[in-house]
Amino acid sequence: PEIPSADIDKVQKASVETPIEELIKGGLFKNKMLISQQAALLPEAQRLMLQERYSLGYVKPILFNSLLGFGIGNFINKDRVGGITHAVIDSLAVGTIVIAGSVYMGGVLTEILLLPIFVAGQGGKETEALFSSIEQTMKISEIIVQVGLGVFLVNKLASIISVSVHTAKYNKTLKEALTPARPAVSVRALPIIAPNALGLALSINY
């Protein structure tokens, strides 16, 4: 935004106390107005340099979210809320997979240990009931593992989308903050009608 001459000294003093780069690092969105005011006093070359330096990239965060997950790419690109959200969801999904998978493997080992007794026919109905219970538990555990894996994959895709949206929004906000607003110019045609004159006048406001 254009700064009135009376406020230039105030803005310059603020820029000395809090350099524009510190404002960007401290929070682009919350400091946008102050960044914009200070940027208006900078030459265009310096504004472009700041925009290039602090613009966020897409490749690194998308790779981290694709390969590792847990919102790491969001944290890299300064999206704390998105990072925490995806980290919590991934942690719950992985925890569910590990626990249900452990129960499933426990059932497999139990069946292996009881198999000789079952084959020898020494267990009777109690052994059959135990095998049936183990099979039921294993089926439930398998379904839970599949659901947990599905949630993990869906959240991975969501994290890729969210970090891309955040990056685009951040870069757009940075460009807006570092680009001084140009005053709007309006032109109006006003008819002039007088007893001895007829004409048209242009009114320019800026």
Side-chain angles (χ1 to χ4, degrees), residues 121-137:
Q122 299 176 356
K125 294 183 179 180
E126 293 182 356
T127 304
E128 291 182 6
L130 180 59
F131 262 95
S132 177
S133 176
I134 293 173
E135 286 290 333
Q136 187 67 24
T137 302

Side-chain angles (χ1 to χ4, degrees), residues 8-83:
I8 291 180
D9 292 339
K10 182 178 179 181
V11 175
Q12 288 177 333
K13 181 180 179 181
S15 67
V16 172
E17 296 174 352
T18 308
I20 189 170
E21 295 189 48
E22 294 298 324
L23 291 172
I24 296 174
K25 294 176 183 177
L28 172 64
F29 297 107
K30 68 178 181 180
N31 293 327
K32 180 182 177 182
M33 183 61 67
L34 190 55
I35 292 170
S36 183
Q37 290 176 345
Q38 294 191 19
L41 303 178
L42 300 176
E44 182 178 3
Q46 189 172 353
R47 294 198 302 269
L48 293 175
M49 181 270 294
L50 288 171
Q51 183 177 337
E52 181 178 356
R53 177 183 299 175
Y54 290 101
S55 291
L56 301 179
Y58 288 88
V59 177
K60 186 176 180 180
I62 289 178
L63 281 178
F64 270 92
N65 278 358
S66 300
L67 301 178
L68 299 178
F70 297 93
I72 296 176
N74 294 77
F75 286 114
I76 291 175
N77 269 20
K78 309 177 188 301
D79 181 15
R80 187 169 178 269
V81 174

Side-chain angles (χ1 to χ4, degrees), residues 79-136:
D79 181 15
R80 187 169 178 269
V81 174
I84 292 175
T85 300
H86 294 301
V88 170
I89 295 175
D90 276 356
S91 298
L92 291 175
V94 171
T96 300
I97 292 171
V98 170
I99 294 173
S102 299
V103 173
Y104 183 89
M105 293 305 300
V108 172
L109 292 175
T110 303
E111 285 188 339
I112 292 174
L113 293 174
L114 293 177
L115 188 60
I117 299 175
F118 183 76
V119 173
Q122 299 176 356
K125 294 183 179 180
E126 293 182 356
T127 304
E128 291 182 6
L130 180 59
F131 262 95
S132 177
S133 176
I134 293 173
E135 286 290 333
Q136 187 67 24

Side-chain angles (χ1 to χ4, degrees), residues 135-156:
E135 286 290 333
Q136 187 67 24
T137 302
M138 289 174 61
K139 288 180 180 179
I140 295 174
S141 299
E142 184 179 1
I143 293 173
I144 293 175
V145 168
Q146 292 173 351
V147 171
L149 183 60
V151 171
F152 182 78
L153 294 177
V154 170
N155 188 52
K156 187 179 291 291

